[in-house]
Amino acid sequence: SATTLARASLPRNMIENSMFEEESDVVDLAKDSALEPDEVVYEPRSSRLLVRGLGENDLDDEEEDYESSARLLGMSFMNRSSTHNPSSSPYNRQAPPRSCSCPSARMLVVGVFILVLVASMAMVLYFLPGCTFTKAGCGKANSSTPMEPSYPNSTNGELFPWNELRLPASVRPVNYDLSLTPNLTSMTFTGRTVINMTILHDTKHIVLHSSELIITKATFQSVEVKVLEYKPWQQIAVSFPEDLKVGQVCVLTLDYAASLSHTYDGFYNSSYNDKTGAKRVLAATQFEPQAARKAFPCFDEPAFKATFLVRITREPGYITLSNMPQVLCVCVCVGLLEDEFEQTAVNMSTYLVAFIVANFTSITRNVSNTLVSVYSVPEKKEHTHYALDTASKLLHFYNTFFKINYPLRKLDLVAIPDFLAGAMENWGLITFRETSLLVGNQSSPLDKQLIANVVAHELAHQWFGNLVTMRWWNDLWLNEGFATYCQYMSLMTEFPQLDLGNVFLGVRFKAMAKDSLNSSHPVSVSSQVTTPEQVSEMFDSVTYEKGASLLLMLNTTLPDGQFREGLMKYLDNYRGSNTVTEDLWNSLTQVAVSVSDMMRTWTLQKGFPLVTVSRKGGHVTLTQEHFLLSADNTTHTSSLWHIPVTYVNDSCSSAPSSTLNVSDSVKWLKLNYMNTGFYIVHYGDEGWTTLIDALKTDINTLTAHDRASLIHNIFSLSRLGRVSFRQVLNLLDYATNETETAPLTEALSQLSSVYRLLDKRQEQTLVARMKVNLMDSQDWGEEESVSRQELRSALLEMACSLGRQNCTDQATALYDQWTNSNQTKQIPGDLQRVVFSVAAQSDLGWLSLMEAYSSTTYDSEKRKILQALASTQDPQSIVWILSTGLEGGIIQTQELPLVISTMSDGFAGHLFVWDFVKENWDKIIEKFPVGSYPIQSIIKSTTSQFSTQTHLEEVQGFFSSLKERGSQMRSVQEALETIRLNQLWMDRNLPTLRIWL
């Protein structure tokens, strides 16, 4: 029921930085209930709103503001149907099906509800002056007594000529000429970097980045110069007696030596055992966000774009890869060859530069004048075909969708045996974990779904992130939010059989869970993202999943085609350059009505709204407030959002008046159709009762996504304390008739978190009594539907973890068949994890799985075996896996966050894991940078199931003691907040649960 709406402006009085790369947050936001300076504050006169519709001409001035907003945002008045298509895509913008007939389409109201206070609101923007380093300390400059800046000391004792973490804007690199000679025997490399640059402002010094590099010689315009280094900020500088003048073009040449990195960033070494058992070594790069400086001296900030020419010297047994095609190979001396690559055809940020030295093999295909290749270790070549097919199809899709062709002549997708992120979008040379790219042709659709997701995400980055790049990491969502959104949009269009609609719905729920905490942050953070730790923390679910959720909401709000047209305008306007969030809104405004006022309310403040529905007869009032789960007596912010509200009810109704009036005969009202809006709805006792009754009468009253939305909302409201857990269970009663994946997996996910909390309190009897239907009625044979596989996997994992005899017997039988047939009788892919996990609970099963883990070449299967091994409750096995994972070797260190996450779910595991993390913290942060996604994951998984004061104090004490080794991380605030909320939930619900159950 979408129609094109009149162009109009929103009210002018509103104010206005991988996860996906493998399941991927420094500011202490938890201590202050008020918004940070970068979170714009709205001062409402009243939080109570009447929702306006279209069709009234006699509105007063305030009402006209609602009217103009309504015309922009489009609100659909939708009707019930018993023939909802559960797989209907919010991207298709189709009208919801109807079960009642109306005289004409015009009788359906298509309008917009915007929950926003229309009274004049103060526009408050805080511009806090930056901290100026002076001899007197850190403070604000005084105009009457100018302070002389003080500079830090270089490593040689001389003053370093710069005193900020961000580089000066006086010099801009134009081109880098890089020559590298890695030695894979000594694990070292030497390099020469020639930087052609232009002077933008008169300056006496050039400052750039260098980390862990030993500069052996430096020349400027062919004259040798001295290099100063300030290691804490990873900066080097060259100073001059006279100013370099604006417009001057100059050349700085730096020769250096370094060790290949022993962590997962920079230019690092990796190894694997080939099929003969021989150890093979390779070198690869991972530069995002700030590690290009570990491989070559550079201006390592996203806005310093330049072109790159790369040469790499290698032994004949290896191949080299870089962003561009190889153009030349010359013999430089006995036993060494130098490969030269084309100069990049585009300006690139340093974090997108990449090179690899390895003995990989590839398969290739030509797609739209681009040579697409998938590289792997030779013995896994047969597992590359699905990735090549998927990448080829998606490259063609994106070329067509964006109407801007991928600009390079080649696109390599490379599976690295030892790689921390899920993948990295280096332009023309995308690197992946093996588990994110390689899959057998006979693998399950669920395994292929994972590969397709990662490939789609990284290919989207070739436009969003590579072609157009955020100016600084505070706007990382312009890269990651878009890549996440495009990943689902492209797959739902090109690979409908993968059924990504349910996955994207779950992703939106996940983002809300994080964003409901006081420790969250705005999608676009306008300050306090400077230190490496703060930059790393931007790679979190708010940046990725919330960013994608807001783009979905905007797409479903705008009239057909305008969102896509706006994106094409954005890419065209800014191709080759850098942007801030406002540039996106300005591009959309060129093709649609202004969206800036609305979207600022979603991107510049953390959190999201709770919409409360109150109804008196046919008169419906909607109010909004900040949905904030806080156990710290934190006052709710006064922030308001422009909310595009959609709804569906049980009746065909005439047009509403200027306030939302429905017929008295309308029994129920469901807001947020298909859950495309980023908000939660509370219907009040009566409203919930009518919805529950409607579902019990006819489950198809609502779409599967709307039913999942109700389940998510009521659990969230229970956590907030607005509804009792009894009401939650009342809604779940309808699920005895539920068969669709989205609502059932959401119910299972929510119940699982309750089960785990109870289990950690050793309330096993309560856990055993909480039952979910369908667990014992699942088939254990092959299942083609991805959606059914998803549901079956979730149900059976829950059943077996609760010790259901029927489940564990079936799993054991399948495992025995697999081992007795020498692993030739395959276990269905979606059942592998549950089958392996059941087997791992016995000593014999655990040992046979350990053997299988060492021998299997199927990466998806290997990963599931590792999760099963980590699910053991045997203390000796737990300790062995943790120490082995930390050392690397049999279990790669890159898998440690997964091991820890899996162990934390078990009772024995969660106690061991927390102690392990405390005892080995310094070793862990040597492997994974402070603030990085793996560290976020480790903190969350080890603490999120604690619910006692003792554990709260222990966690608080441990992280406080870390000082600069991690005490200020946002994920620490999130952990403490979560434990407090768990305490609160237990105090509120445990006595009642004991009575009910």
Side-chain angles (χ1 to χ4, degrees):
S1 62
T3 61
T4 303
L5 303 174
R7 292 175 68 89
S9 294
L10 274 166
R12 291 178 180 272
N13 55 5
M14 293 303 293
I15 305 173
E16 213 197 14
N17 153 327
S18 155
M19 197 243 30
F20 167 76
E21 288 99 339
E22 191 74 20
E23 271 237 317
S24 248
D25 285 328
V26 172
V27 188
D28 184 357
L29 301 182
K31 293 180 181 172
D32 189 355
S33 63
L35 291 175
E36 296 292 336
D38 53 23
E39 304 169 41
V40 180
V41 177
Y42 301 84
E43 296 293 344
R45 280 200 322 214
S46 158
S47 65
R48 211 160 176 276
L49 293 187
L50 294 180
V51 178
R52 310 290 171 172
L54 301 179
E56 295 296 307
N57 298 317
D58 54 346
L59 302 179
D60 61 26
D61 291 344
E62 281 196 1
E63 289 171 329
E64 280 187 296
D65 269 346
Y66 282 103
E67 174 75 351
S68 64
S69 301
R71 288 190 183 279
L72 160 66
L73 290 173
M75 185 273 171
S76 299
F77 183 84
M78 306 174 183
N79 299 299
R80 170 185 78 152
S81 171
S82 59
T83 57
H84 290 306
N85 175 5
S87 64
S88 60
S89 165
Y91 302 99
N92 297 338
R93 300 187 53 83
Q94 69 236 41
R98 305 180 178 89
S99 63
C100 50
S101 59
C102 299
S104 77
R106 296 183 66 179
M107 290 293 289
L108 286 175
V109 175
V110 180
V112 165
F113 286 133
I114 300 187
L115 286 171
V116 64
L117 186 70
V118 180
S120 296
M121 287 181 268
M123 181 174 178
V124 182
L125 287 173
Y126 294 98
F127 291 105
L128 294 182
C131 177
T132 304
F133 285 88
T134 66
K135 291 183 177 177
C138 173
K140 298 177 184 178
N142 184 316
S143 58
S144 60
T145 55
M147 294 184 183
E148 182 188 340
S150 100
Y151 294 97
N153 286 328
S154 304
T155 50
N156 69 352
E158 292 183 38
L159 280 183
F160 192 77
W162 187 244
N163 63 354
E164 293 180 29
L165 267 167
R166 298 282 298 274
L167 296 180
S170 50
V171 180
R172 176 162 294 275
V174 175
N175 171 259
Y176 292 82
D177 189 324
L178 306 178
S179 300
L180 295 117
T181 304
N183 184 322
L184 296 185
T185 303
S186 65
M187 296 300 169
T188 58
F189 67 99
T190 57
R192 167 175 283 189
T193 297
V194 182
I195 311 173
N196 288 270
M197 58 191 86
T198 184
I199 308 302
L200 300 184
H201 306 286
D202 289 3
T203 182
K204 282 188 166 65
H205 47 254
I206 296 170
V207 183
L208 63 161
H209 289 111
S210 172
S211 177
E212 299 171 30
L213 306 177
I214 300 166
I215 309 293
T216 53
K217 184 181 179 184
T219 58
F220 181 76
Q221 307 291 64
S222 303
V223 177
E224 194 160 343
V225 290
K226 181 169 65 178
V227 175
L228 300 175
E229 180 174 20
Y230 184 54
K231 286 186 176 180
W233 290 351
Q234 303 176 348
Q235 292 174 355
I236 57 172
V238 178
S239 294
F240 306 94
E242 302 292 331
D243 271 350
L244 302 172
K245 297 296 184 181
V246 173
Q248 187 176 340
V249 177
C250 43
V251 180
L252 177 66
T253 302
L254 297 159
D255 294 303
Y256 58 96
S259 294
L260 288 168
S261 171
H262 63 280
T263 58
Y264 291 102
D265 62 354
F267 191 20
Y268 72 95
N269 71 84
S270 175
S271 65
Y272 67 97
N273 293 325
D274 65 18
K275 58 189 173 188
T276 70
K279 183 180 179 181
R280 297 281 191 161
V281 294
L282 62 125
T285 59
Q286 169 60 36
F287 292 160
E288 188 181 34
Q290 297 177 312
R293 62 191 71 173
K294 288 187 173 185
F296 57 98
C298 57
F299 297 80
D300 201 10
E301 294 181 7
F304 288 98
K305 288 191 167 186
T307 56
F308 295 82
L309 190 151
V310 177
R311 298 182 192 86
I312 301 176
T313 302
R314 62 176 170 90
E315 294 174 20
Y318 293 96
I319 64 162
T320 59
L321 298 169
S322 189
N323 305 82
M324 298 294 286
Q326 184 180 321
V327 288
L328 193 61
C329 176
V330 296
C331 184
V332 289
C333 64
V334 178
L336 287 178
L337 303 170
E338 182 184 74
D339 295 334
E340 181 176 319
F341 299 88
E342 283 180 20
Q343 181 167 299
T344 56
V346 287
N347 282 322
M348 285 168 43
S349 301
T350 48
Y351 77 88
L352 293 170
V353 176
F355 30 87
I356 294 168
V357 183
N359 60 331
F360 290 162
T361 55
S362 66
I363 60 171
T364 62
R365 183 179 302 165
N366 266 299
V367 181
S368 309
N369 300 317
T370 299
L371 184 66
V372 182
S373 307
V374 180
Y375 285 84
S376 70
V377 299
E379 46 266 50
K380 294 184 180 179
K381 185 175 181 178
E382 65 190 80
H383 300 165
T384 57
H385 294 281
Y386 181 75
L388 182 63
D389 291 343
T390 304
S392 300
K393 196 168 184 180
L394 287 169
L395 180 62
H396 181 263
F397 171 82
Y398 286 136
N399 278 340
T400 306
F401 186 84
F402 297 132
K403 294 188 178 175
I404 294 176
N405 282 341
Y406 172 77
L408 306 184
R409 291 194 295 111
K410 67 101 173 171
L411 175 62
D412 298 337
L413 293 80
V414 187
I416 310 282
D418 210 13
F419 193 75
L420 185 57
M424 176 58 210
E425 67 268 17
N426 315 300
W427 216 343
L429 183 62
I430 308 175
T431 46
F432 296 78
R433 270 194 188 198
E434 290 183 326
T435 49
S436 301
L437 189 68
L438 306 180
V439 67
N441 286 332
Q442 304 310 309
S443 295
S444 77
L446 264 185
D447 292 332
K448 291 178 178 177
Q449 187 193 71
L450 169 66
I451 306 305
N453 260 308
V454 188
V455 170
H457 183 98
E458 303 310 328
L459 257 64
H461 269 312
Q462 307 304 299
W463 287 263
F464 288 99
N466 299 10
L467 188 69
V468 178
T469 313
M470 81 271 136
R471 190 176 297 167
W472 182 246
W473 303 103
N474 64 304
D475 271 324
L476 178 62
W477 88 280
L478 290 173
N479 284 18
E480 300 300 349
F482 265 108
T484 306
Y485 173 79
C486 290
Q487 140 195 353
Y488 293 112
M489 175 269 296
S490 62
L491 292 176
M492 289 163 75
T493 306
E494 290 294 299
F495 296 85
Q497 72 278 12
L498 292 179
D499 210 2
L500 266 297
N502 292 336
V503 179
F504 193 15
L505 180 67
V507 154
R508 305 202 289 278
F509 293 153
K510 175 188 172 186
M512 289 180 123
K514 185 178 181 74
D515 204 31
S516 62
L517 300 175
N518 201 38
S519 51
S520 185
H521 63 88
V523 165
S524 176
V525 181
S526 54
S527 71
Q528 295 182 315
V529 181
T530 49
T531 68
E533 184 179 304
Q534 289 167 337
V535 169
S536 293
E537 286 199 310
M538 289 303 297
F539 291 80
D540 70 350
S541 62
V542 170
T543 297
Y544 284 68
E545 284 91 0
K546 182 181 179 181
S549 304
L550 298 185
L551 294 170
L552 169 65
M553 181 170 70
L554 182 56
N555 183 25
T556 53
T557 297
L558 291 172
D560 278 340
Q562 287 193 356
F563 181 71
R564 178 186 176 191
E565 200 180 334
L567 295 193
M568 291 190 294
K569 182 68 71 175
Y570 171 74
L571 290 171
D572 194 47
N573 287 347
Y574 299 105
R575 60 197 302 175
S577 58
N578 299 81
T579 58
V580 295
T581 295
E582 196 63 22
D583 295 326
L584 173 63
W585 309 145
N586 291 340
S587 296
L588 280 159
T589 300
Q590 290 177 13
V591 299
V593 289
S594 174
V595 298
S596 181
D597 288 342
M598 176 183 105
M599 293 309 296
R600 285 172 177 173
T601 68
W602 293 95
T603 58
L604 291 180
Q605 58 185 346
K606 67 185 175 188
F608 56 88
L610 166 63
V611 176
T612 300
V613 182
S614 56
R615 182 177 169 188
K616 291 182 180 176
H619 185 83
V620 179
T621 304
L622 306 181
T623 57
Q624 65 160 296
E625 64 190 275
H626 184 177
F627 184 95
L628 181 64
L629 295 174
S630 180
D632 308 323
N633 300 322
T634 310
T635 54
H636 288 218
T637 68
S638 57
S639 316
L640 294 180
W641 287 259
H642 278 280
I643 310 174
V645 174
T646 53
Y647 74 88
V648 59
N649 68 16
D650 64 329
S651 165
C652 245
S653 175
S654 58
S657 66
S658 58
T659 59
L660 175 55
N661 292 314
V662 296
S663 165
D664 286 340
S665 64
V666 169
K667 295 187 183 69
W668 55 265
L669 193 66
K670 161 68 175 69
L671 268 63
N672 200 3
Y673 177 68
M674 294 289 284
N675 205 83
T676 56
F678 200 73
Y679 58 95
I680 280 172
V681 186
H682 184 19
Y683 298 95
D685 290 346
E686 192 178 328
W688 279 110
T689 300
T690 56
L691 282 164
I692 291 167
D693 288 345
L695 286 175
K696 286 179 178 175
T697 305
D698 179 7
I699 198 170
N700 292 310
T701 290
L702 294 169
T703 67
H705 280 204
D706 282 307
R707 302 197 297 272
S709 171
L710 288 179
I711 290 168
H712 171 264
N713 282 202
I714 204 164
F715 268 100
S716 302
L717 290 164
S718 166
R719 204 142 160 78
L720 190 64
R722 296 292 176 95
V723 303
S724 69
F725 202 68
R726 167 71 80 184
Q727 282 175 285
V728 175
L729 297 178
N730 285 345
L731 174 62
L732 290 185
D733 280 347
Y734 101 87
T736 52
N737 299 315
E738 184 61 83
T739 57
E740 290 296 331
T741 299
L744 281 171
T745 51
E746 177 57 20
L748 284 168
S749 171
Q750 295 283 357
L751 285 171
S752 291
S753 62
V754 174
Y755 290 170
R756 287 196 290 268
L757 281 177
L758 291 169
D759 183 49
K760 301 311 182 293
R761 287 279 195 99
Q762 295 190 281
E763 296 282 351
Q764 281 84 0
T765 51
L766 285 183
V767 172
R769 288 179 198 154
M770 295 179 78
K771 294 176 182 172
V772 178
N773 291 289
L774 297 178
M775 282 187 184
D776 296 327
S777 60
Q778 294 302 304
D779 182 85
W780 289 70
E782 289 291 347
E783 169 63 66
E784 288 306 309
S785 161
V786 179
S787 181
R788 308 312 295 174
Q789 284 193 2
E790 216 176 334
L791 175 58
R792 180 172 73 169
S793 173
L795 283 164
L796 292 176
E797 282 179 30
M798 170 79 83
C800 282
S801 70
L802 292 175
R804 296 283 183 92
Q805 194 68 41
N806 184 31
C807 183
T808 55
D809 287 350
Q810 290 269 27
T812 303
L814 272 182
Y815 185 73
D816 289 344
Q817 287 176 22
W818 183 67
T819 52
N820 293 337
S821 68
N822 201 22
Q823 303 178 12
T824 56
K825 186 168 177 53
Q826 282 298 307
I827 302 166
D830 61 310
L831 300 180
Q832 285 176 349
R833 194 164 64 187
V834 66
V835 168
F836 294 152
S837 295
V838 169
Q841 304 316 308
S842 74
D843 291 347
L844 201 59
W846 196 89
L847 289 169
S848 69
L849 276 168
M850 193 65 240
E851 204 175 300
Y853 181 75
S854 302
S855 61
T856 185
T857 57
Y858 288 94
D859 292 291
S860 59
E861 189 173 271
K862 195 179 184 82
R863 193 169 174 78
K864 290 168 197 165
I865 293 172
L866 179 59
Q867 286 176 286
L869 291 167
S871 73
T872 179
Q873 298 298 290
D874 175 60
Q876 282 184 304
S877 300
I878 289 170
V879 171
W880 183 85
I881 293 178
L882 288 170
S883 56
T884 306
L886 184 58
E887 290 163 14
I890 300 172
I891 296 170
Q892 293 172 306
T893 304
Q894 67 180 21
E895 301 292 3
L896 188 61
L898 176 71
V899 166
I900 287 175
S901 171
T902 306
M903 280 188 177
S904 297
D905 286 344
F907 181 76
H910 94 290
L911 297 173
F912 278 99
V913 162
W914 171 237
D915 285 342
F916 172 82
V917 168
K918 286 188 296 179
E919 288 166 17
N920 294 280
W921 182 257
D922 287 340
K923 289 181 183 174
I924 289 170
I925 61 173
E926 275 178 29
K927 306 284 186 179
F928 314 115
V930 172
S932 64
Y933 188 79
I935 292 292
Q936 294 174 43
S937 169
I938 287 169
I939 293 171
K940 182 176 180 177
S941 55
T942 51
T943 62
S944 63
Q945 292 166 54
F946 291 155
S947 62
T948 65
Q949 186 65 24
T950 304
H951 269 133
L952 175 64
E953 290 168 4
E954 191 179 322
V955 172
Q956 201 157 19
F958 171 69
F959 284 112
S960 296
S961 72
L962 294 179
K963 306 295 188 235
E964 73 283 354
R965 287 157 36 244
S967 64
Q968 295 302 307
M969 284 185 290
R970 188 186 293 119
S971 42
V972 171
Q973 305 306 321
E974 182 183 334
L976 296 172
E977 198 175 349
T978 301
I979 297 170
R980 290 188 194 103
L981 289 166
N982 291 346
Q983 271 184 286
L984 193 64
W985 192 93
M986 280 293 188
D987 293 344
R988 189 188 290 140
N989 294 299
L990 195 52
T992 328
L993 279 173
R994 285 174 178 149
I995 295 167
W996 291 341
L997 299 171

